[in-house]
Amino acid sequence: MFDVIQSRLANLGISIPQIAMPVGSYVTTIRSGKQLFISGQLPLVSGKLLTTGKVGATVDIENAKKAAQICAINILAQAQAELGNLAKIKQVIKITAFVAADPTFTDIPQIANGASDLLVNVLGEAGKHTRSAVGVSVLPMDATVEIETVMEI
Amino acid sequence: MFDVIQSRLANLGISIPQIAMPVGSYVTTIRSGKQLFISGQLPLVSGKLLTTGKVGATVDIENAKKAAQICAINILAQAQAELGNLAKIKQVIKITAFVAADPTFTDIPQIANGASDLLVNVLGEAGKHTRSAVGVSVLPMDATVEIETVMEI
Amino acid sequence: MFDVIQSRLANLGISIPQIAMPVGSYVTTIRSGKQLFISGQLPLVSGKLLTTGKVGATVDIENAKKAAQICAINILAQAQAELGNLAKIKQVIKITAFVAADPTFTDIPQIANGASDLLVNVLGEAGKHTRSAVGVSVLPMDATVEIETVMEI
C-alpha cells in the first residue's frame, strides 16, 4: 500500500513538502478517536501563496484549480507528518473547500475538483470523500483557496 | 419508528426523491464509526436548481427558505439511500447552512430555519441538531443554499 | 484541574455568562460519542451583539478581535452548561471562524486569533485546536464573527 502511494506520487510528479506552519494561534492537526482533523490548508509553496485574489476577478480558473491542488498536497503533507506515512489514511471523510470568489463566478466545483481529484489520484479509494464547496468573500492573506479536512485513520 | 416518519412525510406532502448526484469529483456520503457525513446538498429538484442567485438581491426570503427546505429533503434522500430507511438516523448532529446572500441581507437564520424545521418535522427528536448558518458570496452553479451535514446512525 | 481553569478565568477577568439562546430552530449542543458539537456562536453579550458589520468596512480590527473573543467565551459557556465544568473538556478539536469581512480585508487570522488565544489562555493544552478561518459576506443579524466548534470530552 505504501509503495502504491509512493509510486502514484512519483508518477504525478508530486513530492510531499514540509508542512505549512499555522498562520495564527492554532495547531495543524488533532486526533479524536479514529478521526484526524486538519486545519484549513492554504496554497502555500515554501511559505509563499501560489495565488492571491478572487477567482472570477483577478485569478483565472486554471490558477485557482492549481491553488486547490496545492491545498490538497499540503493536506497530504500534514497527514504524513502526523501519521508517518500516507498509507495510514483509512479514508478521507470530508473536505470543505472555501474558494475566494467574485459573486458572479459560479463554477466553484471545478476549482474544488483540483483538490478532490488529487486526493483520489494519490490515495485511490481511501481518497474518496464527501465535500462542500462554497465561494467566500476573502481568505487569510488573500489566498484563493482554503481547504479543511477530516480523515479516518 | 419507521411508520411514524413515513406518516410525517405523508402529512407534510413530502416524498423522498432520488439522491442528487455530486456536481464534482466527490462522493455523496461517507460513514466514520457511528457518524454519517453527507456532502453539501443543493436545492436540486430532478437535477435542476429550484433557485439561483443571492437572497437579498435577486431571490426573496420565501424562495430562499424553500431552497433550504429542498436541501433538507435532499439530505434525507442521501441518508435514506445510505441507511435503507430514515429510522436509522439516531441524531442529526450538525448542519452548516451556507446561504448565498447579498452583504446587506442579515436574516440568514430565517433561511436556514427552512432546513432546520423540516428536519425536526420529519425526524422528531432525532432531527434536532446544532447549526452554523453563514452568508457566502456565491455557491456552486449559483445555487442559493448549500447544506453540509453530520449525523449519528 | 477545575481550580486551574477557574483561576485562569479570574486572572483574565472573565466570568462565564449564561448561554446564548439559539437564533433559529436548532439546539446549542449535541454529543456524539466523545465529541461535543457546539452551534455557531455569535458575539452576544447579554443577548445583544457586541459588534455588527464587516471588518475592513465599518468594523476595525480591534473590535472584530474582541467579537471573536466573545464568541470564544460563549463557546465556553455552552460547554460548561453541557458538561457541568470546563475541566471535562479533553481537547478542543476544531473551530471554524467565519468572519464577516470586506473582500479587501485579508487579515482574517488576526481576528480569529482573538478566539484561539482565549481558548488556550483559559483551557491550556486542552484549548489547542485545529482551525479554519474564512471571510464571509454576511452573518446572522449582521454579526461580525461566528464560530463553530467540535470538542472531545
Side-chain angles (χ1 to χ4, degrees):
Chain A
M1 184 63 171
F2 183 71
D3 289 346
V4 173
I5 292 175
Q6 288 308 312
S7 124
R8 285 183 196 130
L9 286 168
N11 288 339
L12 294 162
I14 297 170
S15 52
I16 301 296
Q18 292 297 103
I19 61 168
M21 288 297 115
V23 299
S25 45
Y26 57 91
V27 299
T28 50
T29 53
I30 296 266
R31 293 190 201 207
S32 170
K34 293 182 176 177
Q35 293 176 343
L36 177 66
F37 288 73
I38 301 177
S39 286
Q41 295 298 298
L42 302 173
L44 290 163
V45 179
S46 307
K48 201 161 168 290
L49 286 169
L50 183 77
T51 58
T52 58
K54 283 77 177 172
V55 60
T58 56
V59 180
D60 64 18
I61 290 184
E62 192 183 5
N63 281 305
K65 200 167 177 173
K66 270 187 202 159
Q69 287 169 342
I70 301 295
C71 292
I73 290 172
N74 287 334
I75 289 165
L76 294 175
Q78 296 293 353
Q80 183 168 282
E82 174 66 28
L83 302 173
N85 75 64
L86 296 174
K88 291 190 179 162
I89 299 171
K90 194 176 158 196
Q91 192 73 46
V92 180
I93 299 171
K94 189 206 67 157
I95 69 169
T96 304
F98 299 103
V99 179
D102 189 87
T104 60
F105 179 83
T106 62
D107 197 1
I108 305 295
Q110 193 181 343
I111 310 306
N113 284 351
S116 291
D117 290 342
L118 189 136
L119 291 173
V120 174
N121 288 341
V122 173
L123 299 173
E125 280 296 312
K128 292 187 178 173
H129 52 271
T130 63
R131 185 176 95 185
S132 296
V134 302
V136 295
S137 54
V138 64
L139 288 170
M141 306 183 298
D142 207 21
T144 305
V145 185
E146 175 175 348
I147 301 182
E148 172 181 314
T149 316
V150 187
M151 294 179 170
E152 188 162 310
I153 56 176
Chain B
M1 182 66 168
F2 183 72
D3 289 347
V4 173
I5 291 175
Q6 289 308 312
S7 122
R8 286 184 195 129
L9 286 168
N11 288 339
L12 294 162
I14 298 169
S15 52
I16 301 295
Q18 293 296 104
I19 62 168
M21 288 297 116
V23 298
S25 45
Y26 57 92
V27 299
T28 50
T29 53
I30 296 264
R31 294 189 199 209
S32 170
K34 293 182 177 177
Q35 293 176 342
L36 177 66
F37 288 72
I38 301 177
S39 285
Q41 294 299 298
L42 302 173
L44 290 163
V45 178
S46 307
K48 199 159 169 289
L49 287 169
L50 183 77
T51 57
T52 58
K54 284 76 176 171
V55 59
T58 56
V59 180
D60 65 17
I61 290 183
E62 192 182 4
N63 280 305
K65 200 167 177 174
K66 269 188 204 160
Q69 287 169 342
I70 301 295
C71 291
I73 290 172
N74 286 334
I75 289 165
L76 295 176
Q78 296 292 353
Q80 183 168 284
E82 174 65 27
L83 303 173
N85 75 64
L86 296 174
K88 290 190 179 163
I89 299 171
K90 194 175 158 195
Q91 192 74 48
V92 180
I93 298 172
K94 189 205 68 156
I95 69 169
T96 304
F98 299 103
V99 179
D102 189 87
T104 60
F105 180 83
T106 63
D107 198 1
I108 304 296
Q110 194 181 342
I111 310 307
N113 284 351
S116 292
D117 290 343
L118 188 137
L119 291 172
V120 175
N121 288 340
V122 172
L123 300 173
E125 279 297 312
K128 293 187 177 174
H129 52 271
T130 63
R131 185 176 95 186
S132 295
V134 303
V136 295
S137 54
V138 64
L139 289 170
M141 305 182 299
D142 207 21
T144 305
V145 185
E146 175 175 348
I147 301 182
E148 171 181 315
T149 316
V150 186
M151 295 178 170
E152 188 161 309
I153 56 177
Chain C
M1 182 66 168
F2 183 71
D3 289 347
V4 173
I5 292 174
Q6 289 307 312
S7 122
R8 286 185 196 128
L9 286 168
N11 288 339
L12 294 163
I14 298 169
S15 52
I16 301 295
Q18 293 296 102
I19 61 168
M21 288 298 115
V23 298
S25 45
Y26 56 92
V27 299
T28 51
T29 53
I30 296 266
R31 293 189 200 209
S32 170
K34 292 182 176 179
Q35 294 177 341
L36 177 65
F37 287 73
I38 301 178
S39 285
Q41 294 297 299
L42 303 173
L44 290 163
V45 178
S46 306
K48 199 160 168 290
L49 287 169
L50 183 77
T51 57
T52 58
K54 283 77 176 171
V55 59
T58 56
V59 180
D60 64 18
I61 290 183
E62 193 183 3
N63 280 305
K65 200 166 176 174
K66 270 187 203 159
Q69 288 169 342
I70 300 296
C71 292
I73 291 172
N74 286 333
I75 289 165
L76 294 175
Q78 296 292 353
Q80 183 168 282
E82 174 66 27
L83 302 173
N85 75 64
L86 296 174
K88 290 189 179 162
I89 299 172
K90 193 174 159 196
Q91 192 73 47
V92 179
I93 299 172
K94 189 206 67 157
I95 68 169
T96 304
F98 298 103
V99 179
D102 189 87
T104 61
F105 179 83
T106 62
D107 198 1
I108 304 294
Q110 194 180 342
I111 310 307
N113 284 351
S116 291
D117 290 342
L118 190 137
L119 291 172
V120 174
N121 288 341
V122 173
L123 300 173
E125 279 297 312
K128 293 186 178 174
H129 52 270
T130 63
R131 185 176 95 187
S132 295
V134 303
V136 295
S137 54
V138 64
L139 288 169
M141 305 183 298
D142 207 21
T144 306
V145 185
E146 175 174 348
I147 301 181
E148 170 180 316
T149 316
V150 187
M151 295 179 169
E152 187 161 310
I153 56 177

Coordinates of all heavy atoms in Angstrom, one line a residue, chain A residues 11-87:
Chain A
N11 N 4.6 9.2 -10.2 CA 4.0 9.3 -11.5 C 3.4 10.7 -11.7 O 3.3 11.2 -12.8 CB 2.9 8.2 -11.7 CG 3.6 6.8 -11.9 OD1 4.8 6.7 -12.2 ND2 2.8 5.8 -11.6
L12 N 2.8 11.2 -10.6 CA 2.2 12.5 -10.8 C 3.2 13.7 -10.6 O 2.9 14.8 -10.8 CB 1.1 12.7 -9.7 CG -0.1 11.8 -9.8 CD1 -0.9 11.7 -8.5 CD2 -1.1 12.2 -10.9
G13 N 4.5 13.3 -10.3 CA 5.5 14.3 -10.2 C 5.3 15.2 -8.9 O 5.7 16.3 -8.9
I14 N 4.7 14.5 -7.9 CA 4.4 15.3 -6.7 C 5.4 14.8 -5.6 O 5.5 13.6 -5.3 CB 3.0 15.0 -6.2 CG1 2.0 15.5 -7.2 CG2 2.8 15.7 -4.8 CD1 0.5 15.1 -6.9
S15 N 6.1 15.8 -5.0 CA 6.8 15.4 -3.7 C 6.1 16.1 -2.6 O 5.8 17.2 -2.7 CB 8.3 15.7 -3.8 OG 8.4 17.1 -4.2
I16 N 6.0 15.3 -1.5 CA 5.3 15.9 -0.3 C 6.2 16.9 0.4 O 7.3 16.5 0.7 CB 4.9 14.7 0.6 CG1 4.0 13.7 -0.1 CG2 4.2 15.3 1.9 CD1 2.7 14.2 -0.5
P17 N 5.7 18.1 0.5 CA 6.6 19.1 1.1 C 6.6 19.1 2.6 O 5.9 18.3 3.2 CB 5.9 20.4 0.6 CG 4.5 20.1 0.6 CD 4.4 18.6 0.1
Q18 N 7.5 19.9 3.2 CA 7.4 20.2 4.6 C 6.0 20.7 4.9 O 5.4 21.4 4.0 CB 8.4 21.3 5.0 CG 9.9 20.9 4.9 CD 10.2 19.7 5.8 OE1 10.3 18.6 5.4 NE2 10.3 20.0 7.1
I19 N 5.5 20.5 6.1 CA 4.2 21.0 6.4 C 4.2 22.5 6.5 O 5.2 23.1 6.9 CB 3.6 20.5 7.7 CG1 4.5 20.8 8.9 CG2 3.4 19.0 7.7 CD1 3.8 20.6 10.3
A20 N 3.1 23.1 6.1 CA 2.9 24.6 6.2 C 2.6 24.9 7.7 O 1.9 24.2 8.4 CB 1.7 25.0 5.4
M21 N 3.3 25.9 8.2 CA 3.1 26.3 9.6 C 1.8 27.1 9.7 O 1.3 27.7 8.7 CB 4.2 27.3 10.0 CG 5.6 26.6 10.2 SD 5.5 25.3 11.6 CE 5.7 23.8 10.7
P22 N 1.1 27.0 10.9 CA -0.1 27.7 11.0 C 0.1 29.2 10.8 O 1.2 29.8 11.1 CB -0.5 27.5 12.5 CG 0.3 26.3 12.9 CD 1.5 26.3 12.1
V23 N -0.9 29.9 10.3 CA -0.8 31.4 10.1 C -1.5 32.1 11.2 O -1.9 33.2 11.1 CB -1.4 31.8 8.7 CG1 -0.6 31.2 7.6 CG2 -2.8 31.5 8.6
G24 N -1.7 31.4 12.4 CA -2.3 32.0 13.5 C -2.1 31.1 14.7 O -1.3 30.1 14.6
S25 N -2.8 31.4 15.8 CA -2.5 30.7 17.1 C -3.3 29.4 17.2 O -4.2 29.3 18.0 CB -2.7 31.6 18.3 OG -3.9 32.3 18.1
Y26 N -3.1 28.4 16.3 CA -3.7 27.2 16.3 C -2.7 26.1 16.0 O -1.6 26.4 15.6 CB -4.9 27.2 15.4 CG -4.6 27.5 13.9 CD1 -4.2 26.5 13.0 CD2 -4.5 28.8 13.5 CE1 -3.9 26.8 11.7 CE2 -4.2 29.2 12.2 CZ -3.9 28.2 11.3 OH -3.5 28.5 10.0
V27 N -3.2 24.8 16.0 CA -2.3 23.7 15.6 C -2.7 23.1 14.3 O -3.8 23.4 13.8 CB -2.2 22.7 16.7 CG1 -1.7 23.3 18.1 CG2 -3.5 22.0 17.0
T28 N -1.8 22.3 13.7 CA -2.1 21.9 12.4 C -3.0 20.6 12.3 O -3.8 20.5 11.4 CB -0.8 21.6 11.6 OG1 0.0 20.7 12.5 CG2 0.0 22.8 11.3
T29 N -2.8 19.8 13.3 CA -3.7 18.5 13.3 C -4.0 18.1 14.7 O -3.3 18.4 15.7 CB -2.9 17.3 12.7 OG1 -1.6 17.2 13.4 CG2 -2.6 17.5 11.2
I30 N -5.2 17.5 14.9 CA -5.7 17.0 16.1 C -6.3 15.6 15.9 O -7.1 15.5 14.9 CB -6.7 17.9 16.8 CG1 -6.2 19.3 17.2 CG2 -7.4 17.2 18.0 CD1 -5.6 19.4 18.6
R31 N -6.0 14.6 16.7 CA -6.7 13.3 16.5 C -7.8 13.3 17.5 O -7.7 13.7 18.7 CB -5.7 12.2 16.9 CG -4.6 12.0 15.9 CD -3.9 10.7 16.2 NE -2.5 10.7 15.6 CZ -1.9 9.6 15.3 NH1 -2.5 8.4 15.5 NH2 -0.7 9.7 14.8
S32 N -8.9 12.7 17.1 CA -10.0 12.5 18.0 C -10.5 11.1 17.7 O -11.2 10.8 16.7 CB -11.1 13.5 17.8 OG -12.3 13.1 18.5
G33 N -10.2 10.1 18.6 CA -10.5 8.7 18.3 C -9.8 8.3 17.0 O -8.6 8.5 16.8
K34 N -10.6 7.8 16.0 CA -10.0 7.4 14.7 C -10.1 8.5 13.7 O -9.8 8.3 12.5 CB -10.8 6.1 14.2 CG -10.6 4.9 15.1 CD -11.3 3.7 14.5 CE -11.0 2.4 15.3 NZ -11.7 1.3 14.8
Q35 N -10.5 9.7 14.1 CA -10.5 10.8 13.2 C -9.3 11.7 13.3 O -8.9 12.0 14.5 CB -11.8 11.6 13.4 CG -13.1 10.8 13.0 CD -14.4 11.5 13.2 OE1 -14.4 12.5 14.0 NE2 -15.5 11.0 12.6
L36 N -8.9 12.2 12.2 CA -7.8 13.2 12.2 C -8.4 14.5 11.6 O -8.8 14.5 10.4 CB -6.6 12.7 11.4 CG -5.4 13.7 11.2 CD1 -4.8 13.9 12.5 CD2 -4.4 13.1 10.2
F37 N -8.3 15.5 12.4 CA -8.8 16.9 11.9 C -7.5 17.6 11.4 O -6.5 17.7 12.2 CB -9.5 17.6 13.0 CG -10.9 17.1 13.3 CD1 -11.0 15.9 14.0 CD2 -12.0 17.7 12.9 CE1 -12.3 15.3 14.2 CE2 -13.3 17.2 13.2 CZ -13.4 16.0 13.8
I38 N -7.6 18.3 10.3 CA -6.5 19.0 9.8 C -7.0 20.5 9.5 O -8.0 20.7 8.9 CB -6.0 18.4 8.4 CG1 -5.5 17.0 8.6 CG2 -4.9 19.3 7.9 CD1 -5.1 16.3 7.4
S39 N -6.2 21.4 10.1 CA -6.6 22.8 9.9 C -6.7 23.2 8.4 O -6.1 22.6 7.6 CB -5.5 23.7 10.6 OG -5.6 23.7 12.0
G40 N -7.4 24.3 8.2 CA -7.6 24.8 6.8 C -6.2 25.0 6.2 O -5.4 25.7 6.7
Q41 N -6.0 24.3 5.0 CA -4.7 24.4 4.3 C -4.9 25.4 3.2 O -5.8 25.5 2.4 CB -4.3 23.1 3.8 CG -4.0 22.1 4.8 CD -2.8 22.5 5.7 OE1 -1.7 22.7 5.3 NE2 -3.1 22.7 7.0
L42 N -3.8 26.3 3.1 CA -3.8 27.3 2.1 C -2.8 26.8 0.9 O -2.0 25.9 1.2 CB -3.3 28.6 2.7 CG -4.1 29.2 3.8 CD1 -3.4 30.4 4.5 CD2 -5.5 29.6 3.4
P43 N -2.9 27.5 -0.2 CA -2.0 27.1 -1.3 C -0.6 27.6 -1.2 O -0.1 28.4 -2.0 CB -2.7 27.7 -2.6 CG -3.6 28.8 -2.1 CD -3.9 28.5 -0.6
L44 N 0.0 27.3 0.0 CA 1.4 27.7 0.3 C 2.4 26.8 -0.3 O 2.4 25.6 -0.2 CB 1.6 27.8 1.8 CG 0.8 28.9 2.5 CD1 0.8 28.6 4.0 CD2 1.5 30.3 2.3
V45 N 3.4 27.4 -1.1 CA 4.5 26.6 -1.6 C 5.8 27.3 -1.0 O 6.0 28.5 -1.2 CB 4.6 26.7 -3.1 CG1 5.8 26.0 -3.6 CG2 3.3 26.2 -3.7
S46 N 6.5 26.5 -0.2 CA 7.7 27.1 0.5 C 7.3 28.4 1.2 O 8.1 29.3 1.2 CB 8.8 27.3 -0.5 OG 9.1 26.1 -1.2
G47 N 6.2 28.4 1.9 CA 5.8 29.5 2.7 C 5.2 30.7 2.0 O 4.9 31.7 2.6
K48 N 5.1 30.6 0.7 CA 4.5 31.7 -0.1 C 3.3 31.2 -0.9 O 3.2 30.1 -1.4 CB 5.6 32.1 -1.2 CG 5.5 33.4 -1.7 CD 6.8 33.9 -2.4 CE 6.5 35.2 -3.2 NZ 5.8 35.0 -4.4
L49 N 2.2 32.1 -0.9 CA 1.0 31.7 -1.6 C 1.2 31.6 -3.1 O 1.8 32.5 -3.7 CB -0.1 32.7 -1.3 CG -0.7 32.6 0.1 CD1 -1.6 33.8 0.4 CD2 -1.5 31.3 0.4
L50 N 0.7 30.5 -3.7 CA 0.8 30.3 -5.1 C 0.0 31.4 -5.8 O 0.4 32.0 -6.8 CB 0.2 28.9 -5.5 CG 0.3 28.6 -7.0 CD1 1.7 28.1 -7.3 CD2 -0.7 27.5 -7.3
T51 N -1.2 31.7 -5.3 CA -2.1 32.7 -5.9 C -2.7 33.5 -4.8 O -3.0 33.0 -3.7 CB -3.2 32.1 -6.7 OG1 -4.0 31.3 -5.9 CG2 -2.7 31.4 -7.9
T52 N -2.9 34.8 -5.0 CA -3.8 35.6 -4.2 C -4.9 36.2 -5.0 O -4.7 36.3 -6.3 CB -3.0 36.7 -3.4 OG1 -2.4 37.5 -4.4 CG2 -2.0 36.1 -2.5
G53 N -6.0 36.6 -4.4 CA -7.1 37.2 -5.1 C -8.2 36.3 -5.4 O -8.2 35.1 -5.0
K54 N -9.2 36.8 -6.0 CA -10.5 36.1 -6.1 C -10.6 35.5 -7.5 O -10.4 36.2 -8.5 CB -11.7 37.0 -5.9 CG -11.9 37.3 -4.4 CD -11.0 38.3 -3.8 CE -11.2 38.6 -2.4 NZ -10.1 39.4 -1.8
V55 N -11.1 34.3 -7.6 CA -11.3 33.7 -8.9 C -12.6 34.4 -9.5 O -13.5 34.7 -8.8 CB -11.5 32.1 -8.8 CG1 -12.7 31.8 -7.9 CG2 -11.7 31.5 -10.1
G56 N -12.5 34.6 -10.8 CA -13.6 35.3 -11.5 C -13.3 36.8 -11.5 O -14.0 37.6 -12.2
A57 N -12.3 37.3 -10.7 CA -11.9 38.7 -10.7 C -10.4 38.7 -11.2 O -10.2 38.8 -12.4 CB -12.1 39.3 -9.4
T58 N -9.5 38.6 -10.3 CA -8.1 38.7 -10.7 C -7.4 37.3 -10.9 O -6.2 37.3 -11.3 CB -7.3 39.5 -9.7 OG1 -7.5 38.8 -8.4 CG2 -7.8 40.9 -9.6
V59 N -8.1 36.2 -10.6 CA -7.5 34.9 -10.7 C -8.3 34.1 -11.7 O -9.6 34.1 -11.6 CB -7.4 34.2 -9.4 CG1 -6.8 32.8 -9.5 CG2 -6.7 35.0 -8.4
D60 N -7.7 33.4 -12.7 CA -8.4 32.6 -13.6 C -8.7 31.2 -13.1 O -8.1 30.8 -12.1 CB -7.8 32.6 -15.0 CG -6.4 32.0 -15.0 OD1 -6.1 31.2 -14.1 OD2 -5.7 32.3 -16.0
I61 N -9.5 30.5 -13.8 CA -9.9 29.1 -13.4 C -8.7 28.2 -13.2 O -8.5 27.5 -12.2 CB -10.9 28.5 -14.4 CG1 -12.3 29.3 -14.2 CG2 -11.1 27.0 -14.1 CD1 -13.4 28.7 -15.1
E62 N -7.8 28.2 -14.2 CA -6.6 27.3 -14.2 C -5.8 27.5 -13.0 O -5.4 26.6 -12.3 CB -5.8 27.6 -15.5 CG -4.8 26.5 -15.7 CD -3.9 26.8 -17.0 OE1 -4.1 27.9 -17.6 OE2 -3.1 25.9 -17.3
N63 N -5.5 28.8 -12.6 CA -4.7 29.1 -11.5 C -5.4 28.8 -10.2 O -4.8 28.3 -9.2 CB -4.2 30.5 -11.5 CG -3.0 30.7 -12.5 OD1 -2.0 30.0 -12.3 ND2 -3.1 31.5 -13.4
A64 N -6.7 29.0 -10.1 CA -7.4 28.7 -8.9 C -7.5 27.2 -8.7 O -7.3 26.7 -7.5 CB -8.9 29.3 -9.0
K65 N -7.6 26.5 -9.7 CA -7.6 25.0 -9.7 C -6.2 24.5 -9.2 O -6.2 23.6 -8.4 CB -8.0 24.4 -11.0 CG -8.5 23.0 -11.0 CD -9.1 22.6 -12.3 CE -9.5 21.1 -12.2 NZ -10.3 20.7 -13.4
K66 N -5.2 25.1 -9.7 CA -3.8 24.7 -9.2 C -3.7 25.1 -7.7 O -3.0 24.3 -7.0 CB -2.8 25.5 -10.0 CG -2.3 24.9 -11.3 CD -1.1 25.7 -11.9 CE -1.0 25.3 -13.4 NZ -0.2 26.4 -14.1
A67 N -4.3 26.2 -7.3 CA -4.2 26.5 -5.9 C -4.9 25.4 -5.1 O -4.4 25.0 -4.0 CB -4.9 27.9 -5.7
A68 N -6.0 24.9 -5.5 CA -6.7 23.9 -4.8 C -5.9 22.6 -4.8 O -5.9 21.9 -3.8 CB -8.1 23.6 -5.5
Q69 N -5.1 22.3 -5.9 CA -4.2 21.2 -5.9 C -3.2 21.3 -4.8 O -2.8 20.4 -4.1 CB -3.6 21.0 -7.2 CG -4.6 20.5 -8.3 CD -4.0 20.6 -9.7 OE1 -3.0 21.3 -9.9 NE2 -4.6 19.9 -10.7
I70 N -2.6 22.5 -4.7 CA -1.6 22.8 -3.7 C -2.1 22.6 -2.3 O -1.5 22.0 -1.4 CB -1.0 24.2 -3.8 CG1 -0.3 24.4 -5.2 CG2 0.1 24.4 -2.8 CD1 0.8 23.5 -5.5
C71 N -3.4 23.1 -2.1 CA -4.0 22.8 -0.8 C -4.0 21.3 -0.5 O -3.8 20.9 0.7 CB -5.4 23.4 -0.8 SG -5.6 25.2 -0.8
A72 N -4.4 20.5 -1.5 CA -4.5 19.1 -1.3 C -3.2 18.5 -1.0 O -3.0 17.6 -0.1 CB -5.2 18.4 -2.5
I73 N -2.1 19.0 -1.6 CA -0.8 18.5 -1.4 C -0.4 18.8 0.1 O 0.2 18.0 0.8 CB 0.2 19.0 -2.4 CG1 -0.1 18.4 -3.8 CG2 1.7 18.8 -2.0 CD1 0.8 19.0 -4.9
N74 N -0.8 20.0 0.5 CA -0.5 20.4 1.9 C -1.3 19.6 2.9 O -0.8 19.4 4.0 CB -0.7 21.9 2.1 CG 0.4 22.7 1.4 OD1 1.5 22.3 1.2 ND2 0.1 23.9 1.0
I75 N -2.5 19.2 2.5 CA -3.2 18.3 3.4 C -2.5 17.0 3.5 O -2.3 16.4 4.6 CB -4.7 18.1 2.8 CG1 -5.5 19.3 2.9 CG2 -5.3 16.9 3.4 CD1 -6.8 19.3 2.0
L76 N -2.0 16.4 2.4 CA -1.2 15.2 2.5 C 0.0 15.4 3.3 O 0.4 14.5 4.1 CB -0.9 14.7 1.1 CG -2.0 14.3 0.2 CD1 -1.6 14.0 -1.2 CD2 -2.8 13.1 0.8
A77 N 0.7 16.5 3.2 CA 1.9 16.8 4.0 C 1.6 16.7 5.5 O 2.3 16.2 6.3 CB 2.5 18.1 3.6
Q78 N 0.4 17.4 5.9 CA 0.0 17.4 7.3 C -0.2 15.9 7.8 O 0.1 15.5 8.9 CB -1.2 18.2 7.5 CG -1.1 19.7 7.2 CD -0.1 20.4 8.2 OE1 0.3 19.9 9.2 NE2 0.2 21.7 7.8
A79 N -0.9 15.2 6.9 CA -1.3 13.8 7.3 C 0.0 13.0 7.4 O 0.1 12.2 8.4 CB -2.2 13.2 6.3
Q80 N 0.9 13.1 6.5 CA 2.2 12.3 6.6 C 3.0 12.7 7.8 O 3.5 11.8 8.5 CB 3.0 12.6 5.3 CG 4.3 11.7 5.3 CD 4.9 11.7 3.9 OE1 4.5 11.1 3.0 NE2 6.0 12.5 3.8
A81 N 3.0 14.0 8.1 CA 3.8 14.4 9.3 C 3.2 13.9 10.6 O 3.9 13.5 11.5 CB 3.8 16.0 9.4
E82 N 1.9 13.8 10.6 CA 1.2 13.3 11.8 C 1.2 11.7 11.9 O 1.4 11.2 13.0 CB -0.3 13.7 11.8 CG -1.2 13.2 12.9 CD -0.8 13.7 14.3 OE1 -0.2 14.8 14.4 OE2 -1.0 13.0 15.3
L83 N 1.1 11.1 10.7 CA 0.9 9.6 10.7 C 2.1 8.8 10.4 O 2.2 7.6 10.6 CB -0.2 9.3 9.7 CG -1.6 9.9 9.9 CD1 -2.5 9.6 8.8 CD2 -2.2 9.5 11.3
G84 N 3.1 9.5 9.9 CA 4.3 8.8 9.5 C 4.3 8.4 8.0 O 5.3 8.7 7.3
N85 N 3.2 7.8 7.6 CA 3.1 7.7 6.1 C 1.6 7.7 5.7 O 0.7 7.4 6.5 CB 3.8 6.4 5.6 CG 3.1 5.1 6.0 OD1 2.0 4.9 5.5 ND2 3.7 4.3 6.8
L86 N 1.4 7.9 4.4 CA 0.1 8.2 3.9 C -0.8 6.9 3.9 O -2.0 7.0 3.8 CB 0.2 8.8 2.5 CG 0.8 10.2 2.5 CD1 1.0 10.7 1.1 CD2 0.0 11.2 3.3
A87 N -0.1 5.8 3.9 CA -0.9 4.5 3.9 C -1.8 4.4 5.1 O -2.7 3.5 5.2 CB 0.0 3.4 3.7

